[in-house]
């Protein structure tokens, strides 16, 4: 694997064509080349194109530093501290450009990075100083990785072999330092280097291994899987906001149910969602909890058919049965229905705050979806238009539709609400509140009175 000389696959021996690439990526590659820099297409887009899949994005890697990329492209924005990246903003996409990285600092190389201030010993005048370009925590987690290197060093710094292949726009060849093409043909997810070391450097790689295996239908190589299971508890060392982003990628990739099973089998689910995981292992009224698998299957079908599932609906479907049972326990203790549900949702969000940090807005929408379910059981009453005008109504109805499909209950109510929504299309947002007040109360809404300017008196004559 640690070959200094890569395997070069010429254009006639692979199926990747320049016509498959994003025109914006091609434009950026040629501009970098024209300015004398080395630049390749890299990562998941190369992997997906070789598999006949449509990439979601196109990433580039180059020997140009982030500062040099910024000076070359007017549409460039520099982002990140842990990994300094350049984002090229086009009308329809963002092209990510990274600089070749090396495992160890090389102070002789010229590096551009965010400056910090330091004070000289003699004059006390602030001077520009660079922060550490490579930094690890006491546990071995990489906190900063901005040591720039060669293409070979960069390939060996990547996570999995199938994600480390380059495509050279100059001669249309593939460049493979890590036997990634072999693993791609065999359908194997394997770390580059010792898996325990790579997962220690960045525990999120364990979630990425699960997602790639589920999404591509690949097997996780034995040594990689063993290290993943052994280090599953270390996923808690990752930043909670980053874990929320990875959570969405896992369960909205179109193979969320497979991800769910791999997470359970590896121990990662127990670390990320301890209370939920413990509940899954218990039976309720003599029956195992199968609702989560059914919900994730429903989500997968919708995504595979080209639909979208917003985060709040994902959370409601995944944790709905668990939260409803938690709320039932609070009601048995004497709490009202709505308060019981609020307490269950608050308990889940509080538990996850230290691991998968769910944004407060998404948490409120989750609560709205679940608290709306009892209203769907009634097809009469006041303020019907106000109910369907709620921001989370569409997601709440999707959740109700899923419950009806899986339990067989409430079908007639669902059909009634579907007809009602069809017969009462919502007006534009700026007119919605006024119309609702009129329709629900029977009292015409007050018209706003236009303030008149005071009349001017006759012009005064000068004496």
């Amino acid at each position: 694997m640690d070959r200094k000389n890569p395997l070069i696959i010429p254009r006639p021996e692979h199926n990747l064509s320049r016509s498959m690439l994003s025109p914006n990526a091609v434009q950026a590659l040629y501009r970098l080349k024209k300015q004398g820099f080395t630049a390749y297409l890299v990562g998941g887009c190369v992997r997906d194109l070789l598999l006949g899949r449509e990439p979601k994005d196109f990433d580039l890697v180059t020997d140009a530093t982030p500062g040099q990329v910024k000076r070359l492209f007017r549409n460039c924005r520099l982002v990140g501290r842990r990994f300094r990246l350049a984002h090229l903003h086009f009308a329809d996409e963002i092209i990510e450009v990274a600089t070749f990285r090396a495992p160890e600092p090389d102070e002789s190389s010229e590096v551009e990075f965010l400056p910090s201030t330091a004070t000289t010993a003699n004059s006390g005048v602030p001077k520009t100083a660079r922060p550490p370009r490579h930094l690890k925590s006491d546990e071995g987690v990489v906190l900063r990785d901005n040591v720039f290197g060669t293409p070979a060093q960069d390939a060996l710094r990547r996570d999995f072999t199938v994600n480390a292949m380059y495509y050279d726009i100059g001669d249309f060849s593939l460049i493979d330092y890590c036997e990634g093409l072999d693993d791609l043909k065999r359908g194997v997810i394997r770390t580059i280097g010792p898996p325990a070391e790579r997962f220690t450097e960045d525990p999120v790689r364990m979630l990425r291994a699960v997602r790639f295996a589920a999404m591509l239908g690949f097997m996780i190589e034995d040594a990689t899987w063993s290290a993943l299971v052994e280090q599953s508890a270390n996923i808690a060392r990752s930043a909670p906001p980053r874990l929320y982003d990875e959570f969405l990628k896992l369960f909205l990739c179109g193979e969320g149910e497979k991800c769910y099973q791999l997470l359970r089998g590896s121990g990662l689910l127990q670390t990320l969602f301890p209370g939920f995981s413990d509940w899954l292992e218990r039976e309720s009224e003599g029956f195992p909890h199968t609702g989560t698998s059914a919900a994730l299957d429903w989500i997968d079908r919708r995504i595979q058919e080209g639909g979208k599932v917003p985060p709040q609906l994902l959370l409601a479907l995944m944790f709905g049965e668990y939260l409803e049972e938690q709320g039932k326990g609070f009601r048995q203790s004497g709490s009202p229905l709505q308060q019981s549900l609020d307490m269950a949702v608050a308990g889940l969000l509080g538990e996850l705050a230290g691991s998968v940090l769910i944004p407060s807005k998404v948490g409120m929408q989750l609560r709205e979806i679940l608290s709306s379910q009892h209203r769907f059981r009634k097809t009469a009453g006041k303020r019907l238009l106000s109910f369907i005008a709620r921001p989370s109504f569409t997601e709440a109805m999707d959740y109700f539709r899923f419950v009806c499909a899986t339990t067989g209950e409430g079908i007639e109510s669902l059909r009634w609400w579907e007809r009602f929504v069809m017969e009462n299309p919502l007006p534009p947002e700026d007119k919605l509140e006024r119309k609702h007040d009129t329709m629900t109360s029977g009292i015409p809404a007050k018209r706003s009175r236009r303030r008149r300017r005071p009349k001017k008196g006759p012009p005064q004559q000068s004496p």
Side-chain angles (χ1 to χ4, degrees), residues 119-408:
T119 303
T120 59
N122 297 329
S123 63
V125 177
K127 69 175 184 179
T128 299
R130 295 190 181 105
R133 288 175 287 140
H134 189 80
L135 183 65
K136 289 185 177 182
S137 69
D138 294 338
E139 295 85 7
V141 178
V142 174
L143 304 177
R144 198 181 294 271
D145 189 11
N146 290 283
V147 182
F148 301 150
T150 66
Q153 291 173 320
D154 181 80
L156 296 175
R157 287 293 297 154
R158 295 186 175 270
D159 50 7
F160 305 107
T161 59
V162 295
N163 293 339
M165 290 177 285
Y166 302 132
Y167 175 72
D168 188 352
I169 198 72
D171 59 5
F172 314 119
S173 64
L174 287 176
I175 305 173
D176 183 4
Y177 285 93
C178 306
E179 301 174 3
L181 191 60
D182 289 343
D183 286 343
L184 197 69
K185 292 177 179 177
R186 295 189 299 121
V188 171
I189 299 297
R190 179 164 56 99
T191 60
I192 300 172
E197 178 182 334
R198 306 318 303 274
F199 290 149
T200 297
E201 291 175 344
D202 185 3
V204 169
R205 285 173 176 158
M206 294 186 283
L207 298 182
R208 288 169 59 84
V210 167
R211 174 159 57 90
F212 292 142
M215 185 175 64
L216 302 175
F218 284 13
M219 295 292 295
I220 300 177
E221 181 253 350
D222 289 343
T224 300
W225 176 257
S226 296
L228 191 155
V229 172
E230 292 173 3
Q231 297 198 33
S232 59
N234 294 341
I235 192 64
R237 295 176 178 173
S238 302
R242 189 179 177 206
L243 288 179
Y244 173 70
D245 291 338
E246 291 297 327
F247 165 78
L248 296 182
K249 292 178 182 178
L250 278 166
F251 294 108
L252 297 178
C253 70
E255 296 293 348
E257 207 282 330
K258 291 182 181 178
C259 290
Y260 167 69
Q261 297 299 343
L262 288 171
L263 290 175
R264 291 190 70 181
S266 64
L268 287 168
L269 193 76
Q270 173 65 40
T271 303
L272 293 172
F273 311 108
F276 175 64
S277 181
D278 290 342
W279 174 80
L280 287 171
E281 300 303 323
R282 300 192 300 268
E283 293 185 348
S284 295
E285 299 178 354
F287 294 96
H289 299 118
T290 59
T292 301
S293 289
L296 292 171
D297 277 332
W298 186 90
I299 293 170
D300 290 341
R301 287 194 300 272
R302 168 172 280 200
I303 292 174
Q304 290 165 9
E305 292 170 358
K308 293 185 178 181
V309 177
Q312 61 270 23
L313 179 57
L314 165 64
L315 290 167
L317 289 166
M318 186 169 178
F319 298 108
E321 185 182 358
Y322 168 65
L323 291 172
E324 288 172 1
E325 188 167 313
Q326 295 290 105
K328 183 178 179 181
F330 289 123
R331 288 199 301 276
Q332 291 174 348
S333 301
S335 299
L337 173 63
Q338 185 60 51
Q339 183 180 354
S340 298
L341 187 58
D342 290 347
M343 292 168 64
V345 174
L348 175 67
L349 298 180
E351 177 186 326
L352 300 184
S355 55
V356 181
L357 184 60
I358 298 173
S360 57
K361 180 179 179 180
V362 176
M364 292 176 62
Q365 292 169 331
L366 165 64
R367 186 184 63 184
E368 285 293 320
I369 290 172
L370 297 179
S371 64
S372 298
Q373 296 309 302
H374 71 280
R375 184 65 182 86
F376 284 109
R377 301 290 179 176
K378 298 185 296 182
T379 57
K382 300 179 180 180
R383 303 186 66 82
L384 295 176
L385 290 175
S386 294
F387 178 60
I388 69 172
R390 291 182 180 181
S392 297
F393 174 80
T394 301
E395 290 78 20
M397 191 164 178
D398 279 338
Y399 182 84
F400 184 59
R401 186 176 287 113
F402 165 77
V403 172
C404 292
T406 53
T407 64

Side-chain angles (χ1 to χ4, degrees), residues 35-82:
Q35 295 299 318
F37 296 109
T38 300
Y40 301 134
L41 198 69
V42 68
C45 55
V46 176
R47 176 201 68 218
D48 288 345
L49 289 170
L50 291 172
L51 291 173
R53 299 167 61 94
E54 182 179 356
K56 289 187 176 180
D57 45 42
F58 290 84
D59 297 336
L60 312 184
V61 66
T62 178
D63 58 355
T65 64
Q68 290 171 328
V69 175
K70 183 173 176 60
R71 287 191 290 271
L72 190 58
F73 295 90
R74 292 198 305 174
N75 59 336
C76 176
R77 301 289 184 274
L78 299 186
V79 299
R81 290 180 177 270
R82 183 171 177 266

